[in-house]
């Protein structure tokens, strides 16, 4: 009797559990849109990869000073090749929902992003602040 009750309880549990885990998949329109964005991002990165050369030169000089004149172009050549490779990969594999769910394979996802001023490290004075200035103004 006890084993029959246990078996019925197990059977009822198994019969009611699958509907709780059922999920609707993404709509086909959403998938097509994500694929189109991935394809367009890949073509754009492939076409604009050469902009990494002046971008990295500028950012290196801005962040590192005189040493940036040497490091910047080298970093720009490397990032140009990397962005072109990633752009080609996203263009060819736009149908594949990887990485993530059609997420960008490179950060920033376009070359024209990422020119913002760097954040100051904790303990450093920001570029516009003076150490002996008037503290407490406007409070």
């Amino acid at each position: 009797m006890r084993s029959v009750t246990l078996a019925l309880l197990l059977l009822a549990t198994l019969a009611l559990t699958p509907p709780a885990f059922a999920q609707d998949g993404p709509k086909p329109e959403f998938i097509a849109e994500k694929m189109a964005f991935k394809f367009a991002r890949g073509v754009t990165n492939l076409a604009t990869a050469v902009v990494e050369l002046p971008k990295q030169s500028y950012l290196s000089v801005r962040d590192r000073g005189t040493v940036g004149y040497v490091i910047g172009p080298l970093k720009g050549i490397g990032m140009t090749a990397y962005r072109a490779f990633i752009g080609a990969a996203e263009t060819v594999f736009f149908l594949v929902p990887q990485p993530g769910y059609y997420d960008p394979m490179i950060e920033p996802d376009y070359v024209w992003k990422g020119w913002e001023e760097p954040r100051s490290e904790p303990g450093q004075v920001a570029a516009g602040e003076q150490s002996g200035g008037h503290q407490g103004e406007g409070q």
Side-chain angles (χ1 to χ4, degrees):
M1 178 70 179
R2 187 173 190 186
S3 62
V4 172
T5 306
L6 216 61
L8 287 175
L9 184 62
L10 180 64
L11 184 61
T13 303
L14 290 175
L16 298 175
T17 303
F21 292 111
Q23 295 179 354
D24 289 338
K27 294 182 179 180
E29 301 86 31
F30 180 72
I31 294 171
E33 180 182 359
K34 295 292 253 179
M35 280 192 267
F37 276 120
K38 185 174 181 179
F39 180 77
R41 186 176 53 239
V43 170
T44 303
N45 278 329
L46 191 57
T48 60
V50 72
V51 178
E52 282 287 353
L53 186 61
K55 176 185 177 182
Q56 294 304 323
S57 297
Y58 168 76
L59 293 176
S60 294
V61 170
R62 183 191 72 190
D63 296 342
R64 298 178 185 261
T66 308
V67 162
Y69 288 110
V70 175
I71 295 172
L74 297 174
K75 191 175 176 184
I77 291 168
M79 286 301 296
T80 297
Y82 181 62
R83 188 166 293 277
F85 174 76
I86 294 298
E90 283 194 329
T91 302
V92 171
F93 298 112
F94 74 97
L95 295 171
V96 181
Q98 297 294 331
Y101 192 70
Y102 299 103
D103 292 335
M105 297 174 76
I106 189 171
E107 191 64 38
D109 51 349
Y110 295 104
V111 71
W112 54 82
K113 294 182 180 178
W115 293 75
E116 298 86 21
E117 288 291 324
R119 295 182 184 157
S120 61
E121 303 263 340
Q124 290 183 347
V125 178
E129 298 177 10
Q130 296 179 359
S131 59
H134 302 231
Q135 296 179 354
E137 285 185 11
Q139 292 181 350

